[in-house]
Amino acid sequence: TALLAATFLAGVVVLLIAAFRLGKLMELMPHSIIVGFTTGIGCLILLSQLPVGLGIAAKGEDAVAKLVYTFSHLNEVKPFEFLLLAITLVTTVLYARTRFVRWVPAPLIALLVGGTSAFLFELYNIPISTIGEQYNVSLSNLAASPSFLGHFVDLSGEQLVEVAIAGVTLGLLIAVETLLSSRALDAMTRSTHNPDRELVGHGLANMIVPFLGGIPVSGVIVLGSTKVMAGATAKSASVLHAIFLGTFIVILFPLVS
């Protein structure tokens, strides 16, 4: 409940940043920071996925700790998990060099090839870790949850301060990450964005998601860059992304799992 309240407050903070047109300050951000930001995100994703790709249940509080655990337990590598990783990676790299990538994105082909390979492994009784074994997605608990608003009233003075600090911190992080991602995407697409409009959208989103039990959201370079590399040129790509994601969860999750 406290997280939902902090998320709602973060949305208000982001809206205030937009209202005072502080998003324009991002234009003063040095390009080297943008490069460092995007490179750092990429490195963290790679480090966090390496243990998964090797089939090692890494332990640790962060990506670095899990990486250290992985290298100290290489004897636990599952060869067919690694083979599946190699098949998917090679497919992505090779297909991206063909002319067909203009019509069908490389990650989609890699997903189909990797998924088919995993299915064949299962036919030969070769165990492969799946999404369904690690995550349980259910719509049974999805319901309106406006009760978090009463949390502001029920809190003591000290607790209210803690939620307020968390909300302001989240709001600032959401604004900075969203604008950094937007600047990075500008460099990829040779276009310009409206920072205040971006912040208004994310501010409203963070004020709405707590009513459905959602967590804080921001613009992220990972999704944006994936869409750009897949050929997206319009904002409708984000709308379609949301529709497809909802469809996968509601209808196709047994297959995805």
Side-chain angles (χ1 to χ4, degrees):
T1 304
L3 176 60
L4 298 180
T7 301
F8 180 84
L9 183 58
V12 175
V13 171
V14 175
L15 278 181
L16 288 175
I17 294 174
F20 287 100
R21 299 188 177 278
L22 298 179
K24 294 289 184 181
L25 294 176
M26 189 56 62
E27 296 177 358
L28 304 176
M29 186 71 66
H31 181 68
S32 57
I33 293 181
I34 306 298
V35 174
F37 169 75
T38 53
T39 304
I41 292 294
C43 289
L44 284 175
I45 293 174
L46 177 62
L47 294 177
S48 64
Q49 293 304 303
L50 186 58
V52 180
L54 297 177
I56 298 176
K59 301 177 182 179
E61 296 182 355
D62 51 42
V64 176
K66 290 182 178 179
L67 189 66
V68 172
Y69 180 95
T70 299
F71 281 109
S72 61
H73 293 76
L74 290 178
N75 60 307
E76 299 178 7
V77 171
K78 298 177 181 177
F80 286 99
E81 298 273 1
F82 179 72
L83 177 60
L84 189 58
L85 166 66
I87 291 173
T88 308
L89 182 59
V90 170
T91 301
T92 304
V93 174
L94 294 181
Y95 181 82
R97 299 169 65 89
T98 69
R99 66 178 183 275
F100 302 108
V101 75
R102 297 172 55 189
W103 296 283
V104 183
L108 182 59
I109 296 299
L111 181 63
L112 293 174
V113 173
T116 302
S117 301
F119 178 73
L120 293 176
F121 287 167
E122 291 288 345
L123 286 181
Y124 288 94
N125 296 319
I126 299 174
I128 297 293
S129 299
T130 62
I131 294 176
E133 294 174 356
Q134 301 187 33
Y135 303 99
N136 179 24
V137 178
S138 173
L139 299 178
S140 59
N141 294 324
L142 181 62
S145 54
S147 59
F148 74 90
L149 291 174
H151 201 65
F152 290 107
V153 180
D154 298 335
L155 291 176
S156 64
E158 183 177 346
Q159 293 174 322
L160 188 60
V161 170
E162 291 179 354
V163 171
I165 293 175
V168 172
T169 303
L170 281 172
L172 293 175
L173 288 174
I174 289 168
V176 170
E177 183 171 8
T178 297
L179 295 180
L180 281 174
S181 300
S182 299
R183 281 291 303 275
L185 291 173
D186 283 347
M188 293 179 63
T189 58
R190 297 181 181 178
S191 61
T192 56
H193 71 284
N194 185 323
D196 296 319
R197 182 179 295 177
E198 289 286 340
L199 293 180
V200 168
H202 283 87
L204 292 174
N206 280 283
M207 292 180 67
I208 293 173
V209 292
F211 288 96
L212 291 175
I215 61 176
V217 295
S218 73
V220 290
I221 186 61
V222 178
L223 290 178
S225 60
T226 301
K227 293 169 189 171
V228 171
M229 289 187 291
T233 58
K235 297 176 182 177
S236 57
S238 294
V239 177
L240 290 173
H241 167 239
I243 293 174
F244 283 128
L245 182 59
T247 302
F248 291 154
I249 293 176
V250 176
I251 300 176
L252 300 177
F253 184 74
L255 177 62
V256 173
S257 66

